[in-house]
Amino acid sequence: MKSRRKFYLFIETSESMEHPKMGDGLSPFLNSGIYQFENSNAVFIDPVRVMNCSYTHFQVSPSAYYPRFFESKPLAQESRVSSSSSRKRKRKGKKPHSLNDREKAAEQRHQEARPFLLKAHKCLLRATALLELMSNMRSDSESLQECGDLVSPSVPQQSFVKLGQDWHAPFYEIILDFHQYEKLNVDKGSMIMQYSEQKVHPLFNNLVLNETGHDVEAEFLSSRFVIPRKSCFYMSDLEQIHSLIPAESCCGFNLIVVDPPWENGSARQKSRYPTLPNRYFLSLPIKQLTHADGALVALWVTNREKLRGFVEKELFPAWGVTHVATFYWLKVKADGSLINDLDLFHHRPYECLLLGHCHREAMDSECLSKFKPVQHNQIIISIPGAYSRKPPIGGLLPEYFPGFKPTRCIELFAREMTSGWTSWGNEPLHFQDLKYFNRNG
């Protein structure tokens, strides 16, 4: 392993260490990014604030995270679009669509969830202070340096999927810049000695770790990335995931979040990231990744009834997972309105998160007794980020496996990283690109 050391000395004054005081009722939300509505099974999440808990020297850029749903069309323009669409529908003169059996089942699921979704949305619309804050969530702090300006526009974002399939893949390396700090108290501030060391690691089919308590800046092919503190990633295709199976079950994972690239006929989706046929996911070694005391499995799914049937009848049984609850991610715009009409059949403004318990041995009443019951039909509300980017849910789930300490978490098919987590997939650094961050100070 190659290693280079550098030394820096700088002064941190007492003024730079002051923080603004927050005395209003939104203070817990401003710190955690999670707003719990009173007497409700719903929460609002600001993913930017949640993810920033993973970083010390960098912050996720709100303007980079939220590329949509903040710009509202002028009312006159909306009226024209609505009138034009109405005229087009009238000209077509289509007869009402008759639902087939699968569509009827999907509609029944929707009607069962609808009251919970409506109640959660009403809670949001009544939270006026939160709504006011939401309209400004895309604004970057003036005290932060935009890293996007430091990224050369001539350097396109790398396609890790293609690079991983290249014959050069075993030879690609990533350079991690590790920094250590020694703080000495001096008059009117602190003197900080910074030690810098670079380490080189194979990028693919290799566990790359940042075990320090600080962010690590990394470089690969002229692009720079930010690695959260106490995190690691393993970049590979599906065939190599077995390399993550722990040698001992006590080193397994307590929380397993899975966001598969589900097969989809949409050409638009295929152009954004490659998908896989559903049968490929049957081979995921969920049970082997599970901790000796069991794990909570959280699986993101779309609203297609065919997919739900596959998960319930084939996928969860193949993984050894017992379905215990369903959460809903309700997507809203910055003004609090839903991104689509709630009853729009093929474009529901929500996605589902299926939660289940998994144990290395056959599930029985004794195994299930180790888990805290999960409340069904919980609602997670947030403004969506980039296409198919899910909100961070790790902070909502630890209470459902309180006996497991320290908690070990992994995300499969990850496209970003979280402090304290293992991230696996063929592009876990996608949203770790420096252009998505601001630098503190």
Side-chain angles (χ1 to χ4, degrees), residues 29 32-37 42-51 65-66 124 130 134 137 300 327-330 332 379-384 390-397:
F29 168 72
S32 68
I34 301 175
Y35 185 98
Q36 177 70 57
F37 297 102
V43 297
F44 177 85
I45 288 182
D46 175 14
V48 172
R49 284 184 169 85
V50 173
M51 291 189 296
Y65 183 91
Y66 293 116
L124 173 65
L130 177 60
M134 284 171 57
M137 279 185 182
W300 286 104
F327 287 10
Y328 298 91
W329 172 31
L330 187 61
V332 298
I379 313 297
I380 303 166
I381 307 175
S382 76
I383 304 170
K390 304 300 190 299
I393 57 170
L396 304 176
L397 300 176

Side-chain angles (χ1 to χ4, degrees), residues 73-91 341:
K73 297 179 181 178
L75 185 60
Q77 182 180 350
E78 288 185 346
S79 299
R80 289 196 298 271
V81 172
S82 177
S83 299
S84 174
S85 300
S86 178
R87 286 196 298 271
K88 287 181 180 179
R89 286 194 294 268
K90 288 180 180 179
R91 283 198 298 268
D341 184 87

Side-chain angles (χ1 to χ4, degrees), residues 150-393:
L150 305 177
V151 180
S152 173
S154 62
V155 180
Q157 186 166 359
Q158 306 295 337
S159 173
F160 291 108
V161 177
K162 293 181 179 179
L163 290 173
Q165 298 169 345
D166 194 322
W167 70 272
H168 290 101
F171 305 102
Y172 286 126
E173 296 178 326
I174 187 169
I175 302 173
L176 274 61
D177 292 322
F178 289 93
H179 301 290
Q180 295 182 346
Y181 303 90
E182 182 178 347
K183 182 178 288 189
L184 302 174
N185 294 325
V186 296
D187 293 340
K188 299 181 180 180
S190 300
M191 181 174 64
I192 301 177
M193 179 72 74
Q194 175 181 318
Y195 305 87
S196 178
E197 181 179 5
Q198 293 184 329
K199 295 183 179 180
V200 182
H201 299 271
L203 178 63
F204 293 101
N205 303 326
N206 179 57
L207 190 64
V208 181
L209 300 94
N210 172 20
E211 298 179 292
T212 72
H214 299 280
D215 315 331
V216 169
E217 201 168 338
E219 182 177 356
F220 170 68
L221 294 183
S222 301
S223 294
R224 301 196 69 82
F225 304 88
V226 181
I227 311 300
R229 55 188 170 81
K230 299 187 181 299
S231 67
C232 61
F233 72 87
Y234 194 100
M235 194 181 311
S236 75
D237 58 21
L238 191 56
E239 295 178 354
Q240 300 298 323
I241 189 175
H242 289 79
S243 300
L244 285 175
I245 296 176
E248 299 181 5
S249 60
C250 60
C251 297
F253 298 95
N254 313 118
L255 173 61
I256 304 174
V257 177
V258 193
D259 184 18
W262 297 113
E263 189 174 29
N264 193 303
S266 169
R268 181 185 179 190
Q269 175 170 318
K270 289 180 179 178
S271 68
R272 294 177 182 270
Y273 59 85
T275 61
L276 290 172
N278 293 345
R279 67 180 183 277
Y280 277 65
F281 306 120
L282 293 168
S283 63
L284 286 174
I286 300 298
K287 185 173 289 189
Q288 294 95 313
L289 292 171
T290 297
H291 191 275
D293 292 327
L296 180 68
V297 178
L299 174 68
W300 286 104
V301 297
T302 65
N303 292 308
R304 292 187 301 125
E305 185 60 26
K306 181 180 180 180
L307 177 59
R308 290 292 295 272
F310 168 74
V311 170
E312 294 172 359
K313 297 176 183 179
E314 297 185 55
L315 191 61
F316 270 3
W319 289 355
V321 172
T322 301
H323 180 219
V324 295
T326 300
F327 287 10
Y328 298 91
W329 172 31
L330 187 61
K331 307 174 189 180
V332 298
K333 300 178 183 179
D335 61 4
S337 62
L338 301 178
I339 65 168
N340 291 318
D341 184 87
L342 183 60
D343 298 315
L344 192 60
F345 191 85
H346 291 293
H347 298 279
R348 308 284 196 204
Y350 63 87
E351 293 185 41
C352 301
L353 181 68
L354 306 184
L355 300 177
H357 293 152
C358 184
H359 202 276
R360 280 180 169 257
E361 307 299 331
M363 292 290 286
D364 54 26
S365 57
E366 182 179 352
C367 294
L368 291 173
S369 65
K370 297 180 180 180
F371 295 90
K372 180 180 178 180
V374 183
Q375 183 182 354
H376 194 44
N377 293 321
Q378 294 196 53
I379 313 297
I380 303 166
I381 307 175
S382 76
I383 304 170
Y387 185 78
S388 193
R389 192 176 189 181
K390 304 300 190 299
I393 57 170

